Amino acid sequence: MFFASDNWAGAHPAINERLMRESTRFAAAYGTSALDQAIEKRFNEIFEREVAVFFVATGTAANSLALASLAKPGGVAFCHAEAHVIEDECGAPDFFSGMRMSPVDGALGKMDPKQLTSRIARYPQDAVHHGRATAVSMTQATEVGTIYTLDEIEQIARISHDHGLPLHMDGARFANALVQLDATPAEMTWKRGVDVLSFGGTKNGCWCAEAIVFFDPAMAKELPFIRKRSAQLFSKSRFIAAQFEAYLQDDLWLNLAAHANSMADRLRGGLAASNSARVAWPTSSNEVFAVIPKDTAKAAQDKGAKFYDWLEPHDMAEPVQGHEQLIRLVTSFATEKEDVDAFLDVIAAG
C-alpha cells in the first residue's frame, strides 16, 4: 500500500531493459551520440513541430533552468501559491534564475486569471525598485491533483503574452494530465500558448529522465551554457535518452499514466462510498486527497500503508475536524488494484 508518492515507485521493466542494453555500448559523450540526436528528433514528432530539447536529471533542474533561460535582471516570475517551484524546490528556481517567485492565488491549485492579471500589474517594466514582471509558470497537473483544461491554459497564456511574458509549464505529471484530457501533446502546450515545458518522466516509470522543451528553438540559445554551468550536462547523457526511447515507444508513457490515473479513480470511488472517510476535494490526476479519522490513519499505517499528512488549504470547502486528518495518496504505474482495495478495506474497518 505505497501511496506516499509516485517518486517511490521503481522504474518500468522496459526502461530498465533499455538501460541494460545501453550499458554495454560505446557512444559519443555530452549529448552528441546518435541516440541523443534521435530522441531529440522524436520530441519533434511528439509535439508536431521542431522543438529544442535538453535532457536533465531532475524536475527541479528542469524548472529552474527553464526559468533561468527566461530571466531578466530584477525579474519576477508568477506561479500558483502552492506550486512546486515556490514551495518545494528550496529556492532553486530563484537561485538559478536570479528571479523571485511571486505567488498567485486561485482555487484548487490553479492560478485565478484575475489574480494573475492583478499580480502582474504590480511589477511594471520600469519599476526599478520593485522589479519587473518577466515570466509565468503553471503546473500541469497541479500540486493538488487538479488539471487545467485546454481553455484554461489558453487563458493563462493570453494573459502572459498580453503582458509580453513567456509561459512555462511544469509538467512533472505531464502524462497524467494529458491522458485525462484526451489531448495531444501539441494541443496541451504550444497550440494553447505554452512557450517552454518541463517534460517529466521520473514520476511515470523512468529512473531519472526529465527534459526542457522549447517550442521556439530561438528561445533556447542560452540554455546550453546555462545547463553546463549548472552541472546538468552529463557526459553519458545517452542514458537519459535511452530511458526516453523506451518511455516514448508504443505509447508506453501514456499507458503508464492512464493506469496510475485509473488506480486513483478506484481510490476516489472507494473513498466516496465510505461512511468514515471522504474525498477532500475533486481531483482528476493520480493524486487523491482524503479526510479520514486519525485512528483509522494510524491503523492503516500500522498495516503498512504509506501516505503523507497534508496541510489544510485555506479554501477547503469542508474543514477538517479535530478527530480527523487530511492525507495525500498518490498512485503510480506500479500501483495494483489489490493495493487500493487493501487500503479501502482498512478504511472501511476503521
Side-chain angles (χ1 to χ4, degrees):
M1 296 184 286
F2 290 95
F3 302 110
S5 174
D6 35 14
N7 282 322
W8 282 42
H12 188 272
I15 291 168
N16 287 332
E17 189 276 333
R18 183 63 187 87
L19 283 169
M20 285 294 292
R21 283 194 287 121
E22 194 61 32
S23 69
T24 63
R25 300 177 180 179
F26 286 83
Y30 296 109
T32 62
S33 75
L35 178 59
D36 283 282
Q37 294 170 8
I39 303 308
E40 289 172 5
K41 291 180 181 178
R42 181 78 177 95
F43 274 85
N44 293 343
E45 298 171 3
I46 289 170
F47 286 101
E48 304 174 36
R49 66 179 295 163
E50 181 183 357
V51 298
V53 183
F54 300 86
F55 302 144
V56 295
T58 71
T60 295
N63 289 336
S64 300
L65 303 191
L67 289 168
S69 73
L70 308 175
K72 296 178 181 178
V76 178
F78 305 91
C79 61
H80 191 271
E82 298 170 13
H84 206 267
V85 292
I86 197 170
E87 282 289 318
D88 298 292
E89 294 182 348
C90 197
D94 309 62
F95 176 79
F96 284 101
S97 71
M99 296 193 292
R100 286 173 288 157
M101 301 296 114
S102 181
V104 179
D105 289 332
L108 296 177
K110 301 181 188 180
M111 287 183 289
D112 179 85
K114 291 182 179 179
Q115 292 288 336
L116 176 60
T117 301
S118 175
R119 196 74 179 167
I120 291 172
R122 297 179 59 179
Y123 299 94
Q125 294 300 305
D126 59 354
V128 173
H129 296 287
H130 298 93
R132 54 180 168 171
T134 301
V136 177
S137 179
M138 68 188 309
T139 311
Q140 180 76 330
T142 75
E143 292 301 309
V144 297
T146 55
I147 294 173
Y148 286 93
T149 67
L150 299 183
D151 288 344
E152 288 171 336
I153 296 171
E154 187 169 16
Q155 186 176 19
I156 296 296
R158 187 181 303 114
I159 293 170
S160 303
H161 296 160
D162 284 349
H163 290 86
L165 310 181
L167 176 60
H168 163 256
M169 177 180 282
D170 174 358
R173 295 186 174 96
F174 184 82
N176 300 95
L178 194 68
V179 297
Q180 189 65 31
L181 291 178
D182 192 24
T184 68
E187 289 169 344
M188 202 173 78
T189 54
W190 65 269
K191 287 187 177 182
R192 297 290 167 163
V194 176
D195 297 294
V196 186
L197 167 69
S198 295
F199 181 91
T202 304
K203 285 182 167 67
N204 193 37
C206 290
W207 175 61
C208 64
E210 311 283 321
I212 306 169
V213 182
F214 291 83
F215 298 107
D216 176 4
M219 293 181 64
K221 62 181 181 179
E222 301 298 336
L223 209 287
F225 299 94
I226 294 171
R227 181 173 63 167
K228 177 65 175 179
R229 292 187 69 189
S230 60
Q232 284 291 315
L233 176 59
F234 298 105
S235 61
K236 297 182 181 180
S237 66
R238 72 183 191 275
F239 287 100
I240 297 179
Q243 292 177 72
F244 277 134
E245 183 179 58
Y247 185 63
L248 299 172
Q249 187 171 353
D250 298 327
D251 288 338
L252 177 64
W253 65 301
L254 301 177
N255 294 332
L256 297 181
H259 173 79
N261 287 3
S262 70
M263 293 297 97
D265 286 340
R266 194 177 185 91
L267 264 177
R268 281 185 279 264
L271 290 166
S274 170
N275 293 322
S276 60
R278 66 181 186 276
V279 174
W281 56 80
T283 60
S284 49
S285 67
N286 63 319
E287 292 184 282
V288 180
F289 296 82
V291 178
I292 63 177
K294 291 179 179 178
D295 290 344
T296 302
K298 185 178 185 307
Q301 290 170 327
D302 289 344
K303 292 186 178 182
K306 304 296 182 183
F307 51 81
Y308 282 125
D309 296 341
W310 209 253
L311 292 176
E312 184 176 350
H314 65 83
D315 57 353
M316 190 167 170
E318 188 176 348
V320 177
Q321 303 301 313
H323 68 287
E324 299 174 324
Q325 69 185 73
L326 174 64
I327 64 171
R328 186 189 75 164
L329 305 160
V330 187
T331 56
S332 73
F333 78 93
T335 304
E336 301 289 348
K337 292 180 180 178
E338 292 77 11
D339 303 325
V340 175
D341 293 345
F343 178 80
L344 293 174
D345 286 344
V346 175
I347 297 300

